[in-house]
Amino acid sequence: MAPLDPGASADPSSGPRPINPGRNRSMDPRMRVASSNAHRTSSARQSDSKLELFGFDSLVNILGLKSMAEEPAQTPVSPTDSEDIGITIGRPKETDPKLGTMMGVFVPCLQNILGIIYYIRFTWIVGMGGIWQSLVLVALCGACTFLTAISLSAIATNGAMKGGGPYYLIGRALGPEVGVSIGLCFFLGNAVAGAMYVLGAVETFLDAVPSAGFFQEKVTVVDSTANGGSGITISTPSLHDLQIYGVIVTILLCFIVFGGVKIINKVAPAFLMPVLFSILCIYIGVLSAPGPNSPKGITGLSTTTLVDNWSADYQPTNDAGVPDPNGPIYWDFNALLGLFFPAVTGIMAGSNRSASLKDTQSSIPIGTLYATLLTTMMYLLSVFLFGALATRQELLTDRLLTATVAWPAPAVIHIGIILSTLGAALQSLTGAPRLLVAIANDDILPVLNCFKAYEGSEPHVATLFTSFICISCVVIGNLDLITPTITMFFLLCYAGVNLSCFLLDLLDAPSWRPRWKLHHWSLSLIGALLCIVIMFMISWAFTVVSLALASLIYYYVSLKGKAGDWGDGFKSAYFQLALRSLRSLGANQVHPKNWYPIPLIFCRPWGRLPEDVPCHPKLADFANFMKKKGRGMSIFVSIIDGDYHESAEDAKAVCRQLSAYIDDKRCEGVAEIIVAPSMSDGFRSIVQTMGLGNLKPNIVVMRYPEIWRDGGLMLLLSQLLLTKDSFEDCKIQVFCIAEEDSEAEELKADVKKFLYDLRMRAEVIVVTMKSFEAHADGSSRIDDTQEAYTSAQNRIRVYLSEMKETAEREGRPLMEGGKQVVVNEQKVDKFLNTMLKLNATILRHSRMAVVVLVSLPAPPLNQPAYCYMEYMDLLVENVPRMLMVRGYRRDVVTLFT
């Protein structure tokens, strides 16, 4: 809804001329919608200057405010463009070519999934865990990623998806705090994973070409099982060689990423095709094994070998993974799970580049699921092939068994490993910066503003930052401690995607209409639980570390981040829960045991307050005092005199000011502004319409009017006040008034019994009217209260005489507020005298009390309101702090359990 523009011209010719639909058929759809939106904005401003409902902008659209200006409804040209239409009328913005399913999703996912673990560790995993546990391992990890891919597909097909991939999905489903915390962790995981891939490629290169190293290091490993106690000399690359080559390779990859999507699209097939060819060579070598030069441990595909390798054989190893009875590392299923799981990560590689896709709703589901299914089936098939190919000892000692059996030579596998890891590193360095840019562009955290990038431009700053993280990890050279945390970040992201889909599917909001039908909330829930279980199975310590980091980011975003209302699932859940709770309350009277104070606080009906103070501070404090342990809600209302059409913008400004004041005072409440012709009309509107069902205000709180010339509830309020620090040292005194002295003791006993049954501690004091008169007769001085009594009598006589003269002059009975009044001066004097006695009693017994609670007297029937306000003035005379309470004939406390 366009903002109100009082200065907008009412002449239709001053706005943009409507576009002829017949002439628009040859226009670019984006230009046509933009022009229509420009006309709609102008028309909306003209119509809004006549009528606007602050706080109910969506209701205005539903009620057809736009149609009041005789304007036909407009619909967006494409559902995928509905969020970004109407940006410009000029020439279309030039953007880079968009990617399809194959190059945009399938290839990146395949490159990230097919990593170094398959080449150099998968045969070792089969040898250690056996065939059946390896099958369980692959099935468990594959089920986790497959269920996550289904959830990802459902959310991606629910509407237009902007850049950011999983961050965008999680943030829009679970809120900005959860989205940013998981998104930053996922960015960090992708950035550090790039370093892991680079180190894997460099290590394989130095193993294949040892002479390329500047430094050489040899390690002797004792393997008594395989060689009768003889030593095996294993040459491993030097740490310095890994650092030098790793930094060089990372810089080269960064240059490719800086070239943009065009260069990446050209380079990606060059990395992927040799990888697929190397895998084909592995399968050919397995089927043709054993070769003439094969080691004795390679038996070829054999049923006997398969049976021997069917069960697990966990044993300690040294740092190089070679079995050693005295080795420091002992493996089990959970350890293998942590080692293998990075081999199935990479399903988010396509969604990370969602901003570069032609059709996210089609490409992400198809590309991601096909890549997940293809790699999972390949892993399951490889378990049987490797398990039947070689003896367990060969599987555990030959780290590059895939290269040993490959056709036609091991060099093919070396090249495949290097290109595979470099391709995965390239995808990580491509997706991570775009993920960071998406988080920065949402403008949630000001600290990330330096990473912002315009749509269609390359994220150069974010790429530099990602490269810095990657190079720093490469320089460290040892990712054994960091790799489990990377895995946790991926699993944390997968759990977030599943929870997002579960929440959206379970709530079934009107906006939840995914085109992908092969999903159900139960599958998403299983996927989320599976991710969490795998996290704790791998390492509870690293799980706690990753959750703690995500929690810290969440807390930081909640404190420092800007508010972003994306219509997330949590707010939808809160809304549905509120509706369900409201319906369950029904319309019947609330039982006293379930009664909670819901104060309606009138902020500025009267009183001398500066213009920049929307509410008296004591009213806000008192609203907090009335709520026990924060339970309950306060409604702060301010009434503005005037015409709504002229005061709409003023009402908005006052509402914002009052809301900011409520937040500053840390009150659990909402702000409401009423524009009414008069104060009394505003009061009537609020009392009749405020609240819904049983969730209505049950207490009215206001300041005593300073410039009014321009049953059980008190006990409960006193108990609520005692629960606050400001009143914890106070005690309650209950004063009762009796006509005769003979009634005093009986009344006192009844009140004590009543308080005992209510579990309330209070001192009971009975004041009789005779004792008051005796005290008044014995007093010889006339105090300020007596002077106020005399002044009130005189003012009432003057007011009544003027009222009578006006009625006689106009020839009508005495009227006030449309009602006939009866003036009885004797009753007026009686009421004044009663108020005088009550005031004197309060001053005599409670002058030093922290606060005095008094039952607010009911207005006398058929008497002018002026007289009632004079009575109240006399009652509060010289009393420093008084709370006047008026019940509404409903019990708020009960004697029963």
Side-chain angles (χ1 to χ4, degrees), residues 136 160 325 439 630 634 701:
V136 173
I439 299 175
S634 304
V701 181

Side-chain angles (χ1 to χ4, degrees), residues 839 842-843 846-852 875-883:
N839 177 266
I842 293 171
L843 290 177
S846 305
R847 182 185 292 269
M848 302 304 295
V850 176
V851 62
V852 177
L875 176 63
V876 302
E877 185 71 23
N878 295 326
V879 181
R881 288 169 297 276
M882 178 182 288
L883 175 62

Side-chain angles (χ1 to χ4, degrees), residues 776 778-784 786 847:
S779 177
S780 58
R781 64 182 183 87
I782 301 177
D783 55 9
D784 295 338
Q786 187 66 41
R847 182 185 292 269

